[in-house]
Amino acid sequence: MTQIPHAEQLGKARTAADLVAIIALLDTALNDAIARKQELQQAEDRAVFGEGDLAAVRAALDDCNVEIALIEKTIEAADKRRVGAPQNKAGADTRAPGDEVRIKAEALGERWQMVHWLIEQLRRQLFEADALKRDIASANSRFDAAGKADLKVNMTIIRRAATTGPRAAAPAGLGASALQADKQLLSLFSPGGALDPRPAVGAPVGGATRRFSVRGRSRG
């Protein structure tokens, strides 16, 4: 999943000057992402005519679009914080504890908005991936019927290759509800999970499970 750029600095920012500096960094990141999108669009045009992996380019372009939208939303949130932030550290230090809690509450609301937005992006990507999966499955069936099995696409290999990579470690002290949500997200691609329906480790492989009556005799 795309990480919020400069998230650590944004979380530590307390003054308007801090936020102005972070917004400048975010603007640079946005410009870089837009330039990368233009390069990917050109690569997509070439891949359409056989110069490159079209599926990989389009996947990278989708990720780039998500990154651009995320940076834009982060800039918008940072700018809203800047408007109500103190101008200097001295002003920040003199804020009452209640004001500090209010600032943290506003930041918490922004983070939850971002979590909601990212989950909705994830759902949209999942819907699109499922549509492509069904199209490929239909094509594979036609290849089988036509005796052209060599043209079939192995979607399992594609999925595992695309979902293999480093995973962020959960921070120490993560709350119980957040830890449970994190485990649920990670379980999607675990063996036997919803998006990787391999048998889980230790699960019986092959053969029907025998059923027994209360007397211990086999019923088939």
Side-chain angles (χ1 to χ4, degrees), residues 29-191:
L30 180 60
N31 291 334
D32 291 343
I34 291 173
R36 189 163 62 255
K37 177 180 178 179
Q38 293 173 344
E39 293 174 356
L40 287 169
Q41 287 174 329
Q42 293 172 359
E44 181 184 27
D45 292 339
R46 293 192 298 270
V48 168
F49 295 100
E51 297 182 23
D53 187 334
L54 181 59
V57 172
R58 284 180 171 171
L61 186 57
D62 287 342
D63 290 341
C64 192
N65 285 329
V66 171
E67 181 182 359
I68 289 171
L70 179 58
I71 294 173
E72 289 175 340
K73 288 184 70 68
T74 305
I75 290 174
E76 180 182 353
D79 195 52
K80 288 180 180 178
R81 285 182 58 190
R82 179 191 60 78
V83 172
Q87 294 299 314
N88 52 51
K89 189 174 186 300
D93 291 340
T94 57
R95 280 186 177 275
D99 289 338
E100 293 182 1
V101 172
R102 178 182 58 79
I103 292 172
K104 290 181 179 180
E106 291 175 354
L108 176 61
E110 292 167 2
R111 291 303 175 95
W112 278 121
Q113 286 178 349
M114 191 63 68
V115 168
H116 177 268
W117 182 82
L118 287 169
I119 289 175
E120 286 303 308
Q121 290 297 314
L122 175 62
R123 293 180 67 225
R124 291 187 181 95
Q125 293 293 328
L126 178 63
F127 299 157
E128 293 177 8
D130 184 71
L132 290 170
K133 175 182 174 182
R134 286 183 277 112
D135 288 345
I136 293 173
S138 177
N140 282 346
S141 296
R142 293 196 298 272
F143 292 146
D144 267 335
K148 297 181 179 180
D150 58 305
L151 297 178
K152 291 174 61 178
V153 173
N154 190 318
M155 290 185 287
T156 298
I157 292 177
I158 292 175
R159 183 188 67 242
R160 292 180 187 172
T163 57
T164 298
R167 293 179 176 177
L174 191 65
S177 59
L179 186 61
Q180 181 181 7
D182 183 54
K183 288 181 178 179
Q184 290 174 339
L185 290 172
L186 291 177
S187 72
L188 293 176
F189 288 110
S190 299

Side-chain angles (χ1 to χ4, degrees), residues 11-33:
K12 293 179 179 178
R14 292 293 179 269
T15 68
D18 292 339
L19 291 165
V20 167
I22 293 171
I23 290 171
L25 292 174
L26 290 168
D27 282 334
T28 299
L30 180 60
N31 291 334
D32 291 343

